[in-house]
Amino acid sequence: MSGSEANGGDAIVAYCVPGGPNFQRVYVKVHGYVALIICLLGSVANSVNIAVLSRKEMTSTTNSILTALAVADLLVMIDYIPLALHVYTTIAEELNRNSYAWAVFVYFHSIFSQTFHTISIWLTITLAVWRFVAIKFPQKNKTFCNKRNTNIAIAVAYVVCPIVCLPIYFAMKIQELPNNNTVRDNVTINETDTVNVSAVGEPTYAISMTNNQYLLTSIFWIYSVFLKLIPCVVLSILSVCLILKMKSSDRRRQKLLKKSAVATNEGEKTRLNEDGGKRGGRTDRTTRMLVALLGLFLATELPQALFGLLTAIAPHLFGICYYAFGEVMDLMALVGSAVNFVLYCSMSRQFRSTFTRLAGKLLPPLVHHDSERMTTTTTVKA
């Protein structure tokens, strides 16, 4: 590397030093507890999503995609819980964090979480495409977006995404750390990752990235462009087209209502306005839901895509800057996987009704049991 290249690299790294590492040292103290709360609530929420969306009365191609999306998000949440407990909290601090078994789990987690998060991303793209076809080409909707094609699209996402994420498998390796009795504090794997070394000579292990810079750069291009940036761009375009199409349809419907109302009596005019208001309300709710989904997706994925792209352009940023904000990007992905339940409940009347009926089947026995206990207590006191 030439002197000018080295100076350029130092200048780029200076943008996140010392702010990045300093931020990480402060944030990492609370990350585990925040992530644990999000994972637990998100696991419950996605379990409810699966239970509600898979009900017979909720059967539709859209809900099939949403169910598959909830499964992927649920698996991401469950996988992150052991990591949050073991690495980022003091709950399991007495366990050996540098054992070979734990290194295998971290290796598995790195591949598993990225794979199912990628599945979640592309299922979101599939959902946007299905909605676009339904609104733009309603006459082709039943042919193109039928149950068979929906199942094929879901299966393709669950099969192709693991293959696309396969290069991550080759980017990491489990490395046994040098260990001797003279080491008292820790061994540094890179500039930001340190691991405690046992003073009794037990072997310690950690995950290290490959030294092949070409492979590492290729992986970051795949990660930032194919797995992050392209989905952001595609979903943004589709969502904007959907919103514009629905607004156009709403304006056309309002014009038709006005023309129809001119040639009808007052009672018929009132009925048309009421029906139009209901359909307009449904259109508005769908529009708000699309905007919410778009905003959530971009807020959680676009920063990761841009940061990954910068790292692909300048691989030397990975050792410091990428690690410094790694936990924040993990948290953003977890939030994106956890809050769909809130969107469904707030914007889908059918989801709320089905959820209420499903909860009603489970709550009456509990309420009846509590009522009997309260009655017994009151009788004893009397």
Side-chain angles (χ1 to χ4, degrees):
M1 179 181 289
S2 65
S4 60
E5 291 175 332
N7 292 335
D10 292 340
I12 296 175
V13 170
Y15 283 110
C16 62
V17 175
N22 290 340
F23 169 79
Q24 185 198 32
R25 280 191 289 270
V26 174
Y27 173 72
V28 77
K29 296 177 182 178
V30 299
H31 171 75
Y33 301 98
V34 176
L36 192 58
I37 293 172
I38 293 175
C39 285
L40 292 174
L41 294 177
S43 297
V44 174
N46 280 296
S47 298
V48 173
N49 289 343
I50 296 170
V52 173
L53 295 171
S54 59
R55 301 288 294 179
K56 186 176 181 179
E57 62 268 28
M58 295 289 288
T59 300
S60 70
T61 55
T62 296
N63 288 342
S64 295
I65 299 173
L66 291 176
T67 303
L69 178 63
V71 171
D73 288 340
L74 175 61
L75 292 174
V76 171
M77 296 278 178
I78 293 175
D79 171 72
Y80 202 85
I81 290 174
L83 188 77
L85 279 172
H86 197 41
V87 175
Y88 296 107
T89 71
T90 58
I91 298 174
E93 64 180 351
E94 70 280 359
L95 299 177
N96 186 1
R97 298 180 181 178
N98 302 312
S99 66
Y100 182 78
W102 180 250
V104 170
F105 173 79
V106 174
Y107 188 82
F108 166 80
H109 158 78
S110 301
I111 301 172
F112 184 88
S113 61
Q114 184 59 60
T115 297
F116 279 91
H117 187 61
T118 302
I119 291 173
S120 176
I121 290 172
W122 283 98
L123 285 175
T124 304
I125 297 295
T126 304
L127 180 62
V129 171
W130 256 234
R131 282 180 163 173
F132 178 77
V133 172
I135 294 179
K136 183 69 174 178
F137 309 103
Q139 68 279 7
K140 298 181 180 180
N141 183 39
K142 290 184 178 180
T143 302
F144 182 79
C145 302
N146 55 36
K147 186 68 174 177
R148 178 177 175 272
N149 289 342
T150 300
N151 291 335
I152 291 175
I154 294 172
V156 167
Y158 271 85
V159 171
V160 173
C161 288
I163 297 175
V164 173
C165 294
L166 195 61
I168 301 176
Y169 174 86
F170 301 102
M172 300 176 295
K173 60 182 178 180
I174 300 176
Q175 177 182 349
E176 182 175 356
L177 303 181
N179 191 7
N180 56 69
N181 293 332
T182 61
V183 178
R184 296 180 59 87
D185 295 322
N186 54 56
V187 172
T188 302
I189 296 298
N190 54 50
E191 295 185 30
T192 60
D193 283 353
T194 59
V195 294
N196 296 326
V197 175
S198 172
V200 297
E202 296 180 357
T204 57
Y205 301 87
I207 302 296
S208 62
M209 300 301 294
T210 179
N211 293 325
N212 188 333
Q213 291 300 318
Y214 293 104
L215 176 60
L216 198 60
T217 302
S218 299
I219 289 172
F220 272 111
W221 278 106
I222 294 173
Y223 168 83
S224 61
V225 177
F226 184 77
L227 302 184
K228 297 290 184 179
L229 198 56
I230 291 178
C232 286
V233 173
V234 171
L235 190 62
S236 298
I237 294 173
L238 286 174
S239 298
V240 170
C241 290
L242 282 168
I243 293 171
L244 293 177
K245 180 63 178 177
M246 285 188 296
K247 291 295 186 182
S248 175
S249 298
D250 188 55
R251 287 193 297 268
R252 186 164 56 250
R253 179 182 54 80
Q254 292 294 341
K255 289 180 180 179
L256 290 174
L257 285 173
K258 290 179 180 179
K259 291 181 180 179
S260 300
V262 171
T264 58
N265 56 37
E266 288 300 321
E268 186 67 14
K269 181 177 179 180
T270 303
R271 186 186 65 79
L272 287 171
N273 287 334
E274 289 177 352
D275 292 344
K278 292 178 180 178
R279 287 192 292 269
R282 287 194 293 269
T283 300
D284 291 341
R285 285 194 297 272
T286 304
T287 303
R288 287 196 299 270
M289 188 169 183
L290 282 172
V291 172
L293 287 172
L294 172 61
L296 174 64
F297 186 88
L298 292 179
T300 57
E301 300 299 330
L302 189 57
Q304 299 178 60
L306 296 177
F307 206 96
L309 184 62
L310 289 175
T311 306
I313 296 173
H316 55 278
L317 289 175
F318 179 80
I320 298 178
C321 297
Y322 192 86
Y323 274 121
F325 299 99
E327 287 83 8
V328 175
M329 289 187 286
D330 285 348
L331 191 70
M332 293 171 66
L334 292 174
V335 170
S337 299
V339 300
N340 286 341
F341 174 78
V342 177
L343 292 178
Y344 301 157
C345 274
S346 61
M347 299 183 179
S348 173
R349 183 177 301 171
Q350 186 183 16
F351 184 92
R352 289 196 302 270
S353 300
T354 306
F355 172 67
T356 302
R357 287 194 300 270
L358 185 61
K361 294 179 179 180
L362 301 176
L363 293 180
L366 298 177
V367 174
H368 180 68
H369 177 73
D370 290 341
S371 298
E372 287 185 345
R373 187 172 58 182
M374 290 177 63
T375 302
T376 303
T377 304
T378 304
T379 303
V380 170
K381 287 182 178 181

